[in-house]
Amino acid sequence: MSRISERFASLRAQSQTGLVTYVTAGDPDLERSAEIIKRLDRAGADVLEIGVPFSDPLADGPVIQRATERALAAGTTLPKVLDMLGTLRTTISAPVVIFSYANPILRMGLDRFVAGARAAGVDVVLTLDMPPEEGEAFRAAFSAAGIDTIFLLSPT
């Protein structure tokens, strides 16, 4: 059972709701993002969702768009986010969800990304603009590495 499945099973068994937090990595810089993530974990966040900045965040609202702009201006990249998470993983207990668009993952290379995510201790990848019917290669690659996948679905 994955770390996120265990977390949600534990919450269900205790009839509790969970707290999923979100941080745009690199806003205002990676060093402060790392400190924010550690503090959220220590404060009891059940899941840490880490946003990867992308130049065209169409599915995000204005707050995340501005955070993404600041993170990109600070030089944040997907490989740097994975490196940061890799240094944090031994100090945080909450499951980590990478919140990304497909483009940064494809630009890095799917195999390289999967290896980096696994090495960094990423538990789940949520690819915002990857429809399930087109995401089999992503799902298969993540699954083979023991990483869960979240797809967003339209109600229509």
Side-chain angles (χ1 to χ4, degrees), residues 67-83:
T68 292
E69 290 169 3
R70 292 187 297 268
L72 290 171
T76 305
T77 63
L78 178 54
K80 289 179 181 179
V81 172
L82 293 176
D83 288 345

Side-chain angles (χ1 to χ4, degrees), residues 87-106:
T87 63
L88 289 177
R89 185 73 258 190
T90 60
T91 64
I92 57 176
S93 63
V96 172
V97 176
I98 286 285
F99 177 97
S100 182
Y101 288 84
N103 195 329
I105 294 171
L106 293 172

